[in-house]
């Protein structure tokens, strides 16, 4: 009987050890989360759905959902704990943490998990037949420019407004000269340009933009470059950085175009458990080839670029992930 009891206790100890090994614990883990990005059909929707897919692949039994969103709303939803993850420009999150418009209060509980991609650049495109080749031309001629910027109060809209202000112009000036600035998605705005309804469009996008490449086949377009002084002003206010759209990006360019740029991040609330933040990043890395194939904007993503979330702070779970995986 004594030998039998010893055998039973030994088996129980072995079972307890196996149950507590990391592989067994991880196998039982799952993540339940919602991800808010952009409109269906866009890059952020594809990436948001892709995050959910890699989480389900690495942690079977996880429940993930993608929610259509807009950038400012994404920040509010994540800050309030309504959604676990969001996609936004890092510089916009920094603005929110400082309570800058359009935010009425500081959102200080947002942290980055990783950079998705860098170098989204401001494009200020104008139809060549306006005769406007620079912001200085626009101001000197007091041209009645009919322009659309991206969605109202989005980071892309704010960058457009700050760019013209840094170049010595305001929306009020343009309206006084008989023009206007309104807001619209890129596809709709470019259709209006093709129809002769508007002259210009401003957006913050990666290069080369397929929308602009396509528009350049039927329209004669000019990209307005920024002066160094204007770049410095916008960068100081928005946390953007100076960049160049190379002549090779678009067939209609006659030279490089100086502008400002930003980066796009996957972010969360400080209340997201550390282990869940770690698991989300681990699932992306475990399925890296698939994840980078989701959208062209992710093709150059590496472990090193993922960590560069400036000007934001990393979530502690992200810090743990990068420290562990960079050491391998």
């Amino acid at each position: 009987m004594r030998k039998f009891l010893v055998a039973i206790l030994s088996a129980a100890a072995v079972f307890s050890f196996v149950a507590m090994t990391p592989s067994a614990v991880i196998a039982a883990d799952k993540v339940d989360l919602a991800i808010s990005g952009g409109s269906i059909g866009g890059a952020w929707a594809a990436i948001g759905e892709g995050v959910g897919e890699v989480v389900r692949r690495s942690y079977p039994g996880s429940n993930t959902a993608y929610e259509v969103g807009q950038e400012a709303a994404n920040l509010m939803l994540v800050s309030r704990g309504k959604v676990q993850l969001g996609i936004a420009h890092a510089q916009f999150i920094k603005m929110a943490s400082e309570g800058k418009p359009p935010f009425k209060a500081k959102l200080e509980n947002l942290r980055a998990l990783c950079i998705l991609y860098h170098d989204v650049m401001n494009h200020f495109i104008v139809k060549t037949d306006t005769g406007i080749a620079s912001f200085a031309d626009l101001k000197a001629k007091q041209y009645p420019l009919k322009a659309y910027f991206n969605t109202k109060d989005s980071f892309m809209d704010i960058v457009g407004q700050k760019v013209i202000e840094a170049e010595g112009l305001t929306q009020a000036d343009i309206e006084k000269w008989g023009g206007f600035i309104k807001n619209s998605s890129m596809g709709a705005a470019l259709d209006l340009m093709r129809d002769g309804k508007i002259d210009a469009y401003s957006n913050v996008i990666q290069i080369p933009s397929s929308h602009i490449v396509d528009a350049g086949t039927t329209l004669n377009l000019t990209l307005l470059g920024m002066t160094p002084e204007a770049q410095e002003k916008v960068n100081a206010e928005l946390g953007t950085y100076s960049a160049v759209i190379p002549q090779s990006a678009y067939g209609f360019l006659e030279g490089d175009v100086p502008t400002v740029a930003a980066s796009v991040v996957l972010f969360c609330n400080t209340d997201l458990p550390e282990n869940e933040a770690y698991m989300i990043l681990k699932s992306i890395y475990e399925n890296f080839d698939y994840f980078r194939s989701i959208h062209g904007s992710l093709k150059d993503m590496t472990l090193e670029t993922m960590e560069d979330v400036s000007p934001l702070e990393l979530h502690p779970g992200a810090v743990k992930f990068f420290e562990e995986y960079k050491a391998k």
Side-chain angles (χ1 to χ4, degrees):
M1 176 63 73
R2 180 175 297 173
K3 290 182 178 180
F4 177 73
L5 289 173
V6 169
I8 292 293
L9 291 172
S10 297
V14 170
F15 176 79
S16 176
F17 174 77
V18 170
M20 290 304 292
T21 60
S23 60
V25 173
I26 289 174
D29 280 339
K30 65 175 186 174
V31 182
D32 296 330
L33 55 85
I35 309 154
S36 185
S39 57
I40 296 299
W44 290 8
I47 294 169
E49 291 169 349
V51 171
E53 173 63 22
V54 297
V55 167
R56 293 191 298 271
R57 288 186 181 192
S58 289
Y59 301 100
S62 295
N63 296 306
T64 66
Y66 176 75
E67 297 188 8
V68 174
Q70 290 187 348
E71 190 167 21
N74 294 349
L75 272 61
M76 298 300 297
L77 288 169
V78 174
S79 179
R80 294 171 179 172
K82 303 293 185 182
V83 172
Q84 287 73 40
L85 300 182
I87 298 172
H89 293 91
Q91 291 73 13
F92 201 43
I93 297 174
K94 180 66 173 176
M95 290 169 60
S97 73
E98 297 168 351
K100 292 183 176 180
F103 302 98
K104 296 180 180 178
K106 296 180 180 180
L107 304 184
E108 299 178 303
N109 63 341
L110 301 178
R111 296 293 183 271
L113 285 179
C114 69
I115 283 283
L116 295 170
Y117 51 94
H118 290 91
D119 295 343
V120 282
M121 302 189 189
N122 188 66
H123 289 58
F124 203 108
I125 59 172
V126 178
K127 291 171 69 174
T128 306
D129 61 14
T130 60
I132 303 300
S134 66
F135 290 106
D137 281 349
L138 182 58
K139 185 176 181 180
K141 296 178 181 180
Q142 299 188 357
Y143 190 86
L145 191 74
K146 298 176 178 64
Y148 270 57
F149 291 179
N150 204 271
T151 312
K152 182 68 175 173
D153 289 335
S154 66
F155 181 71
M156 295 83 81
D157 174 41
I158 292 168
V159 170
Q161 297 285 354
K162 295 302 180 183
V163 164
I164 63 170
E165 287 178 16
E167 295 286 357
L169 299 159
T170 66
Q171 183 168 336
D173 291 331
I174 292 171
E175 290 172 352
K176 182 175 62 179
W177 302 333
F180 59 75
I181 293 177
K182 297 181 180 180
N183 298 92
S184 171
S185 66
M186 188 166 191
L190 292 176
D191 284 342
L192 290 172
M193 289 185 76
R194 292 185 184 96
D195 293 340
K197 303 290 180 60
I198 65 172
D199 309 307
Y201 184 68
S202 175
N203 200 3
V204 181
I205 45 180
Q206 281 191 300
I207 56 167
S209 161
S210 59
H211 288 286
I212 293 179
V213 170
D214 182 59
T217 63
T218 55
L219 295 169
N220 292 321
L221 299 174
T222 299
L223 266 176
L224 302 190
M226 296 177 64
T227 63
E229 295 78 15
Q231 288 176 289
E232 186 176 344
K233 288 179 182 178
V234 175
N235 292 341
E237 188 162 359
L238 302 183
T240 50
Y241 53 92
S242 296
V244 172
I245 300 172
Q247 182 179 352
S248 59
Y250 303 106
F252 58 84
L253 293 183
E254 297 180 356
D256 295 343
V257 180
T259 186
V260 293
S263 49
V264 174
V265 296
L266 184 67
F267 71 98
C268 62
N269 189 306
T270 52
D271 290 338
L272 184 73
E274 183 175 315
N275 68 307
E276 291 191 14
Y278 177 93
M279 291 163 66
I280 291 164
L281 290 173
K282 184 172 182 286
S283 68
I284 290 174
Y285 196 61
E286 285 179 342
N287 301 277
F288 221 15
D289 287 343
Y290 163 75
F291 190 74
R292 287 182 293 197
S293 73
I294 290 170
H295 191 269
S297 60
L298 304 177
K299 63 182 176 62
D300 296 324
M301 194 176 189
T302 66
L303 187 64
E304 290 72 27
T305 61
M306 286 172 67
E307 187 182 11
D308 180 16
V309 298
S310 177
L312 303 179
E313 293 181 43
L314 280 169
H315 185 282
V319 173
K320 177 182 177 183
F321 168 81
F322 288 115
E323 287 179 348
E324 179 177 323
Y325 275 77
K326 283 195 303 181
K328 290 184 177 181

